[in-house]
Amino acid sequence: MTLRIDKIFRTCVATAAILAHAAVVPANAFCGFYVAQADAKLFNKSSKVVLARDGEQTSITMASDFEGDVKEFAVVVPVPTFIERKQIGVVEPKTIDHLDSYTAPRLVEYHDEDPCHPIMYRMAPGAPMPSAVARGEASLSRQYGVTIEASYDVAEYDVLILSAQESDGLTRWLTDNDYRIPQGAEAVLGSYIRQGMRFFVAKVNVERMKAVGNGTLRPLQVRYQSAKFMVPLRLGTVNAAGPQDLIIYALTRSGRIEAANYRTVKIPTDIDVPLYVKNEFGPFYKAVFERAVARENMQAVFVEYAWDMGWCDPCAADPMSNKELAELGARWIGSSDDTAFSAVRRGGGSDAFVTRLHVRYDAKTFPEDIVFTETRDRSNFQGRYVQHHPWRGEAKCDAARSYQDRLTARFAKEATDLAALTGWPRSEIVAKMAQSGEGELK
Amino acid sequence: MLTWPRPWRLPDARYFQIAALATLLAVNVAIIDFGARPAASLIAVATALLTQAVGCRLSGVPFDAKSPLITGLSLSLLLRADALWLHAAAALIAIGSKFVLRVDGKHVFNPAGFAIVVLLFTTRGVWISPGQWGAEIWFATLAGLFAILVLSASHRVDIAIYFFASHAALLLLRAAWLGDPIAIPLHQLQSGSLLIFTFFMISDPRTTPDSRVGRLLFAVTVAVAAHYLAFVLQMRPALYVALIALSPLTHVLDRLVPAARFSWRPSVPKGVST
């Protein structure tokens, strides 16, 4: 089959689906050359959570943007079951960073061809956790009505599994043991207690942190078997100064995940943008996200990426290895070696699907924890923004002259679309476009 | 030609229901991400009509398109599948169940609810998408469906109110017990699937108890069961499973508290009414 290249742009997404059998598609594939990405670091006050789920086997890995004295670091996470030592681990931050870059919204580019000599393209056929000794001691603290069900040394953290009878006792226990609990958290803790949840609490053990010789706090991972498929947001919204960002990376077997109790919305994608956006792709995506959040009254969960882990097009980062996916909880893939994940299963696709969800929330717009549902939808989606480098040759034929007329209209449309997408003033956009040579605007 | 003047009366409530469902489906296709797909909806509606036609032929009753249209549209709004044939299977199971699973000349299960539950438990390719309605669409839908309810007040759809009230009461009681803010149960009520369920499934007059007391008991029982399934067993399709599992109860209630049988037509002398 032969296609003109401008058609290829439009059929990118459809073609991508056909290529589902190919393991890893090189960066110069149909969906454009990868140029830049908008990773999670762009957003202040953001946390990252990796969920891996196979049936009821759930793994949750939490990375926060904590900055400050590690002695003051403490986490309190409600968990649905008792947690044994072997169900807790730490994950290298670079593994989450890798998944973040791999799934980040991306900018891609194409170069316009010489209109006097159109090129015909032929479509190719579809191509160990750190060990620590579990002490498992359980003591009853009658004074607070709090039971320390277990206490574990986990790498640089001291971890306790608590259960409680009353929220005021738990609040006092946490406060007396230097876990900083915001004012007003008692009601939320009480709700979790009544729902039969336990509390996974962790603090940094400074001595062990020095012994590990690792200056950074590694993300903690908890694995459990439970029908509950949710992320607990509510504690974080108590007394929070303004909205927060959470990026959820979900690894599943069958397909994309979505929120069951909030709207799941696609981030605007496949939009042509001016060339200068390449130099400010970070601010660009931030503006796109903020505008999308405002449009949905901050009541939606945004999909930024949903794709079979076996391939990408274009790849915003190197493919994840089996080891990295297993480290993040996708242990069902059956291998944990250093090779790139590419397992092909019968009927096409691989055994791992990733969904990247981005949510901005506060206590008012997200009053209850987000509950997820795993769908069977394996359609691929990515936040993708496209730039076309104009052909700059001499107009020697009629086709070239009409191309130049079309360019002017294209520039005007890109300016209008960018203004609508980001809320940036159109006049500013037009001025910046002129500076980068996209100036023949009416 | 002489015609007798007839007193003005409202058309069959199902016309309003079809209009409401079709509007919702159009909104769903047009503006809701990961919502209904036109091809899938077309297949569901066409298969429902075809199955109804075949069923009517075999059982010798006149064909009426309203009921299969409502079922096809409901399925289009509620069920998602990764293959188109599953939408056809859903419509076939739904309408087929009306003709096959009958007790005392009355079908046992709400057709769309039955198909959803059967497919969720027997295939790996379907799911439901309960969170995809924004607050604005939810309130507009609530208003529209409530209006239809009032218009068709004679048609024993009081069960919709019984169910909605008991479901809301349970959510409020749970929030009070947990010490949660009122925003949480109010948010939990804002589910589009809940509205479709309330106004089109549990209130389907053909599969509800004949007596008012029976309907009240049935609505409360379904609400309690759904609450248990949703919050204790963490089941997402809790409403449909509760309704289908408890549907045989309607026949028990009809025996305990007998009342006149409902029919969409003013008089259907005999045979299978659809």
Side-chain angles (χ1 to χ4, degrees):
Chain A
M1 188 184 354
T2 51
L3 281 177
R4 279 286 305 275
I5 192 151
D6 56 341
K7 275 194 182 162
I8 291 176
F9 304 145
R10 270 180 260 128
T11 54
C12 166
V13 178
T15 316
I18 298 163
L19 284 167
H21 296 272
V24 175
V25 177
N28 58 348
F30 288 99
C31 296
F33 289 85
Y34 165 73
V35 184
Q37 61 172 232
D39 60 27
K41 291 186 200 79
L42 273 177
F43 296 92
N44 298 327
K45 285 192 281 182
S46 68
S47 317
K48 290 178 271 188
V49 166
V50 183
L51 296 170
R53 181 137 162 130
D54 177 17
E56 292 196 349
Q57 183 61 47
T58 310
S59 153
I60 176 164
T61 312
M62 299 153 284
S64 77
D65 59 350
F66 179 80
E67 284 175 6
D69 188 349
V70 291
K71 280 184 219 149
E72 290 181 4
F73 176 87
V75 285
V76 178
V77 183
V79 284
T81 62
F82 175 72
I83 305 288
E84 291 179 43
R85 171 63 189 87
K86 64 179 183 194
Q87 294 170 279
I88 311 169
V90 289
V91 167
E92 288 304 323
K94 67 175 194 300
T95 313
I96 296 185
D97 290 344
H98 188 182
L99 186 59
D100 178 47
S101 325
Y102 185 82
T103 55
R106 69 237 19 227
L107 180 67
V108 303
E109 66 181 3
Y110 295 96
H111 289 266
D112 288 358
E113 67 204 68
D114 179 349
C116 299
H117 302 95
I119 305 163
M120 302 302 276
Y121 286 82
R122 184 165 289 278
M123 274 173 70
M129 295 305 151
S131 60
V133 183
R135 278 184 271 142
E137 78 182 47
S139 64
L140 182 72
S141 179
R142 286 180 193 280
Q143 188 192 347
Y144 299 101
V146 172
T147 308
I148 300 170
E149 298 200 334
S151 103
Y152 306 121
D153 299 346
V154 181
E156 61 266 36
Y157 299 99
D158 287 333
V159 173
L160 300 176
I161 308 299
L162 306 178
S163 65
Q165 283 143 18
E166 293 298 335
S167 57
D168 57 345
L170 179 62
T171 310
R172 275 189 293 123
W173 189 93
L174 290 167
T175 312
D176 292 354
N177 287 277
D178 297 330
Y179 289 88
R180 293 187 170 192
I181 293 297
Q183 286 276 308
E186 203 175 304
V188 180
L189 290 172
S191 178
Y192 287 128
I193 291 171
R194 294 243 160 147
Q195 288 176 61
M197 294 181 88
R198 265 95 162 179
F199 297 88
F200 173 99
V201 304
K203 273 204 285 196
V204 176
N205 183 310
V206 180
E207 275 84 58
R208 271 208 313 282
M209 187 170 175
K210 281 180 193 154
V212 173
N214 196 335
T216 56
L217 291 178
R218 288 175 288 178
L220 272 161
Q221 183 178 76
V222 191
R223 298 178 289 272
Y224 51 81
Q225 185 95 21
S226 171
K228 278 192 177 159
F229 187 24
M230 47 88 90
V231 284
L233 293 178
R234 291 180 60 196
L235 273 176
T237 60
V238 177
N239 243 354
Q244 302 166 71
D245 276 32
L246 173 67
I247 299 185
I248 299 148
Y249 313 82
L251 297 166
T252 45
R253 270 185 115 134
S254 65
R256 150 185 91 73
I257 71 160
E258 68 180 27
N261 54 349
Y262 293 95
R263 280 188 75 191
T264 307
V265 173
K266 292 174 184 169
I267 198 78
T269 188
D270 289 332
I271 292 160
D272 291 350
V273 294
L275 295 178
Y276 83 87
V277 167
K278 181 177 180 173
N279 300 324
E280 41 192 277
F281 188 60
F284 159 79
Y285 185 70
K286 225 174 141 178
V288 170
F289 182 72
E290 269 154 20
R291 212 162 157 82
V293 166
R295 195 177 53 239
E296 297 293 337
N297 302 317
M298 211 166 94
Q299 289 176 323
V301 176
F302 292 88
V303 186
E304 291 182 328
Y305 191 81
W307 211 282
D308 192 312
M309 274 308 291
W311 65 289
C312 42
D313 182 10
C315 295
D318 289 336
M320 302 284 287
S321 69
N322 291 326
K323 187 180 165 197
E324 288 175 307
L325 290 180
E327 187 184 355
L328 293 173
R331 297 179 167 197
W332 65 84
I333 59 172
S335 168
S336 56
D337 59 21
D338 259 333
T339 56
F341 171 75
S342 65
V344 172
R345 63 180 194 177
R346 279 176 59 197
S350 77
D351 234 0
F353 195 92
V354 64
T355 314
R356 176 191 174 113
L357 302 172
H358 189 164
V359 50
R360 180 159 296 174
Y361 64 97
D362 63 18
K364 190 164 169 281
T365 54
F366 280 77
E368 61 170 335
D369 291 328
I370 306 178
V371 177
F372 296 104
T373 182
E374 184 181 352
T375 73
R376 307 288 168 187
D377 184 6
R378 296 183 73 90
S379 322
N380 297 315
F381 174 84
Q382 59 184 342
R384 173 178 168 273
Y385 308 92
V386 186
Q387 48 185 219
H388 298 275
H389 292 270
W391 175 76
R392 292 297 188 192
E394 200 184 330
K396 290 179 188 161
C397 63
D398 286 348
R401 280 181 283 277
S402 68
Y403 165 80
Q404 283 174 343
D405 289 344
R406 286 201 308 275
L407 260 190
T408 309
R410 186 172 100 189
F411 293 155
K413 184 176 186 307
E414 284 180 3
T416 307
D417 288 353
L418 184 62
L421 200 58
T422 57
W424 292 344
R426 192 175 185 277
S427 54
E428 206 173 277
I429 293 169
V430 169
K432 286 189 175 179
M433 286 179 77
Q435 281 169 17
S436 61
E438 295 184 301
E440 302 99 315
L441 293 179
K442 282 171 187 166
Chain B
M1 195 178 178
L2 188 74
T3 51
W4 292 100
R6 290 167 54 185
W8 184 84
R9 48 185 284 224
L10 276 169
D12 189 327
R14 287 177 296 176
Y15 288 115
F16 295 114
Q17 295 184 348
I18 290 165
L21 284 171
T23 310
L24 280 174
L25 188 61
V27 169
N28 205 290
V29 168
I31 64 170
I32 291 183
D33 285 348
F34 307 111
R37 289 183 298 157
S41 309
L42 207 66
I43 286 175
V45 171
T47 312
L49 289 169
L50 193 70
T51 313
Q52 176 85 3
V54 172
C56 287
R57 186 91 190 246
L58 292 177
S59 54
V61 289
F63 174 76
D64 185 333
K66 290 190 285 294
S67 169
L69 256 178
I70 289 173
T71 302
L73 290 168
S74 298
L75 283 172
S76 305
L77 280 166
L78 297 172
L79 193 69
R80 303 279 171 272
D82 63 352
L84 286 175
W85 71 267
L86 284 165
H87 295 279
L92 185 72
I93 293 168
I95 306 294
S97 78
K98 274 201 315 191
F99 290 95
V100 177
L101 302 172
R102 307 179 69 86
V103 174
D104 298 341
K106 181 173 171 179
H107 53 266
V108 184
F109 301 106
N110 169 266
F114 181 72
I116 289 171
V117 171
V118 166
L119 287 177
L120 280 172
F121 283 97
T122 57
T123 73
R124 292 179 51 83
V126 300
W127 67 95
I128 55 165
S129 216
Q132 291 303 81
W133 301 49
E136 295 84 1
I137 296 175
W138 189 86
F139 281 113
T141 309
L142 179 66
L145 295 179
F146 193 76
I148 292 173
L149 196 71
V150 172
L151 286 173
S152 55
S154 60
H155 283 161
R156 304 205 268 188
V157 274
D158 48 1
I159 190 167
I161 290 169
Y162 299 152
F163 173 76
F164 199 81
S166 35
H167 182 72
L170 286 169
L171 290 177
L172 287 167
L173 281 173
R174 178 182 159 82
W177 174 65
L178 293 175
D180 282 345
I182 189 102
I184 290 185
L186 291 183
H187 180 258
Q188 286 164 337
L189 281 173
Q190 281 174 32
S191 148
S193 316
L194 172 66
L195 294 186
I196 303 280
F197 179 84
T198 306
F199 290 92
F200 293 94
M201 284 193 176
I202 195 167
S203 54
D204 168 9
R206 299 287 301 136
T207 52
T208 49
D210 293 331
S211 66
R212 186 173 283 261
V213 177
R215 289 195 293 278
L216 178 62
L217 282 173
F218 185 67
V220 174
T221 314
V222 170
V224 170
H227 198 82
Y228 175 80
L229 293 173
F231 291 109
V232 181
L233 301 186
Q234 295 289 317
M235 197 182 269
R236 298 286 173 268
L239 294 176
Y240 315 116
V241 174
L243 173 66
I244 297 307
L246 290 170
S247 284
L249 189 66
T250 55
H251 295 269
V252 178
L253 289 168
D254 283 349
R255 300 250 166 105
L256 292 176
V257 197
R261 173 70 48 86
F262 178 83
S263 168
W264 282 111
R265 296 186 190 86
S267 60
V268 176
K270 59 185 173 183
V272 179
S273 88
T274 53

